[in-house]
Amino acid sequence: MPHSVSAEEPRTPMDEDSVLPDAPPAGLESSESDDGQMDSSPNAAIQDPAKENIKLEDLFADDDDDEEFPSSGFSNETANSSSPPASPPKMAPAAKYSDPEVMLAFYQRLFPFRYLFQWLNHSMKPSNDFGHREFAFTLQNDAYLRYQSFATSDLLRKDILRLNPSRFEIGPVYTTNPRDRKTLRKSTAFRPLAKELVFDIDLTDYDEIRTCCDKANICRKCWSFVTMAIKVVDRALRDDFGFDHIMWVYSGRRGAHAWISDKRARNMDDQKRRAVAGYLEVIKGGAQSGKKVNVKRPLHPHIARSLDILKEHFQKDILENQDPWATPEKTERLLQLLPDKALNDALRKKWDAAPGRSSVSKWADIDALAKAGASKNLDGKALLEAKKDIVLEYTYPRLDVEVSKKQIHLLKSPFVIHPGTGRVCVPIDTKRLEIFDPLGVPTVTQLLGEIDEWGLDKVKPEPDQDGKKLQDYQKTSLKPYVDYFRTHVGALLKAEQGVKREREDDDPMEF
């Protein structure tokens, strides 16, 4: 994919879960035309927050007339040639999630722009953490706009409503406003300063070991690979690196992304990011390579802890649900990972005589034949280590580490719509990880339908428990995901800014 494409030039559509483009290294110019993109006037230099007279309630209060989450209908915007319609478009009952009208309705009524701003800004007032942040838009005609930036959440919202992108990505915070990069005398003056440390888990990387699905297809059985990966990586990031503000986000189809927002993580240079990624990388080699796990003994504490986490999944999620050695070809792969030739020959003979033998039974056969003396020179310690390596190969996270190594990498924003499935890229509550169902994540058309159905149900009261008018997202199955995001953002702001609540309650966003 080219690094940038002018607004008039369509680009070749890409797989929505593929690796996104990196920004060019400092000193290289982008080929897009600034004139063909968006007006840079809304993104003038950001004022010193200390000099701005900004009231907290103006930024965070959930007023009844909140433009971000209208309680009914759409926000009234000044009608002009570049503005979205002031009233909701009439959509046919069978409208598809890919329809521009559907996307516009989602952005107007449901997308949490304010919380996204708070999450990326790390402050209660507008700052360069948001104003110098790059956004990249994929438009409905597949044009790709790079180096967009916005001083506030309102400006981001207005441009998204104007352009109605099919999705957008988030990049790093730069030394200056990304829109002004071509005005700098020295190209090296434009460089990335900070970005969340991110990790990407994609089920296509498991195609050689998952048997239920392949490519872009997923089911609840193979989603267990993502569950295992999140458990291992999240634990390592918290226990071994001391990170606290980690948010996992469903990619919308077949994977998950981790965003680590701790200041130490955001300020890591590429060398440190590579070190963290290398620390977590255990599975190495492609589909045609030999042994993929080659860890030193005694096991590193991280590997030993990971084995303890994963062994409980191996029996059910791998041996029973995936049945990874059901075919002769897969069985040979298992035998290649065992260290003793005589034992292998005995196992092969046994399994050839029972071609329908399950993977559960084959795994048990290894110990049974070893104890029966199938090999006179069997090294028991080597066999035990080989079995642990096999557990790791079939359960340990398969990370796309290239995504994690560079500050300049772009990653899909939370809460955008996956154009291939229509599902929202929602946060994943790690406390409820085992029950998260990717196939149960709401689609954009489902959510808009839930808003319409709410208005037809006369039994449901309109005000919430505090007497405020319900916002549209609160009428839908998106509510628990937005509430989780609010809680995550509130904890991040409190940690970074020492935010004091006006009253002690369970809502971290009430200031």
Side-chain angles (χ1 to χ4, degrees):
M1 179 196 306
H3 286 308
S4 56
V5 182
S6 65
E8 293 80 8
E9 181 183 354
R11 66 184 181 90
T12 303
M14 69 176 179
D15 183 353
E16 284 303 315
D17 289 317
S18 62
V19 175
L20 296 168
D22 290 333
L28 294 182
E29 286 294 332
S30 174
S31 62
E32 88 283 15
S33 168
D34 288 342
D35 296 335
Q37 298 187 13
M38 293 182 268
D39 184 7
S40 60
S41 58
N43 293 278
I46 298 183
Q47 301 176 7
D48 183 353
K51 298 180 180 179
E52 292 187 8
N53 185 22
I54 300 176
K55 297 181 180 179
L56 300 185
E57 58 266 25
D58 293 338
L59 283 174
F60 299 95
D62 292 331
D63 297 331
D64 289 347
D65 59 351
D66 189 345
E67 289 186 356
E68 178 181 353
F69 292 125
S71 60
S72 62
F74 292 78
S75 58
N76 292 324
E77 311 253 355
T78 303
N80 56 52
S81 59
S82 62
S83 297
S87 59
K90 300 295 183 181
M91 290 177 290
K96 296 181 178 180
Y97 50 76
S98 57
D99 291 345
E101 294 84 358
V102 171
M103 291 300 304
L104 183 59
F106 174 77
Y107 287 132
Q108 287 181 309
R109 307 187 74 170
L110 293 169
F111 192 91
F113 288 103
R114 181 178 302 174
Y115 306 145
L116 186 80
F117 164 79
Q118 296 165 9
W119 176 54
L120 297 175
N121 190 58
H122 320 115
S123 172
M124 302 200 40
K125 297 179 181 180
S127 71
N128 287 344
D129 278 7
F130 190 81
H132 289 181
R133 171 86 65 162
E134 178 189 0
F135 293 86
F137 297 155
T138 301
L139 303 186
Q140 299 290 342
N141 65 353
D142 280 331
Y144 192 59
L145 304 184
R146 288 288 308 274
Y147 301 112
Q148 306 306 307
S149 58
F150 308 91
T152 67
S153 62
D154 287 340
L155 293 174
L156 171 64
R157 181 178 186 271
K158 287 177 181 177
D159 241 3
I160 284 183
L161 294 184
R162 180 173 70 87
L163 292 167
N164 195 19
S166 59
R167 78 172 195 183
F168 63 92
E169 285 85 45
I170 298 171
V173 179
Y174 282 95
T175 49
T176 189
N177 190 320
R179 293 178 184 264
D180 299 335
R181 68 196 182 284
K182 290 186 177 180
T183 65
L184 301 175
R185 290 186 177 182
K186 294 183 178 180
S187 59
T188 54
F190 181 68
R191 54 185 174 80
L193 284 179
K195 183 177 178 288
E196 292 76 12
L197 178 63
V198 296
F199 291 92
D200 179 23
I201 302 167
D202 191 321
L203 277 174
T204 55
D205 293 327
Y206 292 80
D207 279 356
E208 65 175 323
I209 58 174
R210 62 172 176 157
T211 60
C212 51
C213 306
D214 65 353
K215 299 180 180 178
N217 302 307
I218 70 163
C219 68
R220 292 176 181 86
K221 287 184 177 181
C222 57
W223 184 257
S224 64
F225 286 112
V226 178
T227 299
M228 289 183 271
I230 292 177
K231 284 185 177 182
V232 168
V233 175
D234 193 83
R235 181 76 176 274
L237 292 172
R238 294 181 190 278
D239 290 3
D240 300 345
F241 294 96
F243 296 135
D244 296 316
H245 304 288
I246 304 169
M247 183 172 68
W248 290 89
V249 181
Y250 174 46
S251 71
R253 174 176 277 172
R254 61 173 187 262
H257 303 146
W259 296 77
I260 299 93
S261 296
D262 298 64
K263 192 168 185 177
R264 287 189 301 111
R266 301 197 312 266
N267 291 339
M268 281 183 172
D269 58 23
D270 288 353
Q271 182 178 0
K272 292 179 180 178
R273 291 169 192 259
R274 286 193 297 269
V276 175
Y279 178 90
L280 294 172
E281 188 179 23
V282 171
I283 308 295
K284 299 180 180 180
Q288 304 303 320
S289 62
K291 195 170 184 288
K292 292 182 172 59
V293 175
N294 295 281
V295 292
K296 295 181 180 179
R297 261 64 184 194
L299 291 176
H300 186 281
H302 162 62
I303 304 298
R305 181 186 61 223
S306 298
L307 266 174
D308 288 339
I309 295 172
L310 296 168
K311 64 184 180 183
E312 65 184 54
H313 290 273
F314 183 72
Q315 180 70 29
K316 181 173 181 58
D317 294 328
I318 303 301
L319 297 183
E320 295 179 18
N321 291 344
Q322 293 296 327
D323 196 9
W325 307 307
T327 67
E329 294 79 14
K330 298 292 186 180
T331 298
E332 280 301 315
R333 172 61 182 168
L334 171 61
L335 293 174
Q336 290 173 9
L337 300 175
L338 296 175
D340 189 274
K341 184 179 184 304
L343 176 62
N344 288 0
D345 291 340
L347 288 169
R348 185 180 291 107
K349 181 178 180 181
K350 182 178 181 67
W351 296 342
D352 286 345
R357 198 162 180 80
S358 70
S359 295
V360 173
S361 298
K362 289 177 178 177
W363 184 250
D365 289 341
I366 297 174
D367 283 345
L369 291 187
K371 292 178 181 178
S375 174
K376 295 180 180 180
N377 300 316
L378 179 65
D379 184 337
K381 182 180 178 181
L383 179 61
L384 178 60
E385 292 178 351
K387 290 185 67 179
K388 289 181 178 180
D389 289 351
I390 291 169
V391 172
L392 288 172
E393 179 162 330
Y394 283 82
T395 59
Y396 190 86
R398 299 186 172 214
L399 301 172
D400 184 354
V401 294
E402 296 304 316
V403 172
S404 309
K405 292 180 178 179
K406 297 179 181 179
Q407 282 184 325
I408 56 177
H409 187 83
L410 293 161
L411 194 61
K412 184 166 49 181
S413 170
F415 288 100
V416 298
I417 304 299
H418 190 294
T421 64
R423 300 194 189 280
V424 186
C425 298
V426 296
I428 300 172
D429 185 350
T430 52
K431 293 180 180 179
R432 300 168 58 85
L433 184 59
E434 295 286 354
I435 62 174
F436 178 81
D437 180 8
L439 303 180
V441 171
T443 64
V444 60
T445 48
Q446 173 188 335
L447 293 171
L448 296 174
E450 289 171 358
I451 296 175
D452 295 338
E453 290 174 6
W454 181 280
L456 297 175
D457 191 341
K458 304 301 182 182
V459 178
K460 295 179 181 177
E462 179 70 9
D464 66 9
Q465 60 183 359
D466 296 324
K468 295 180 180 180
K469 209 168 187 179
L470 286 179
Q471 300 173 15
D472 277 343
Y473 84 88
Q474 294 175 303
K475 306 171 186 177
T476 73
S477 51
L478 192 64
K479 181 181 184 300
Y481 302 107
V482 176
D483 289 346
Y484 178 84
F485 191 38
R486 284 168 59 102
T487 302
H488 176 79
V489 173
L492 175 62
L493 291 183
K494 186 175 181 179
E496 292 231 353
Q497 303 297 334
V499 174
K500 295 181 179 179
R501 307 179 198 180
E502 293 182 356
R503 64 180 184 274
E504 292 293 330
D505 56 28
D506 293 332
D507 187 350
M509 300 311 295
E510 289 288 341
F511 298 103

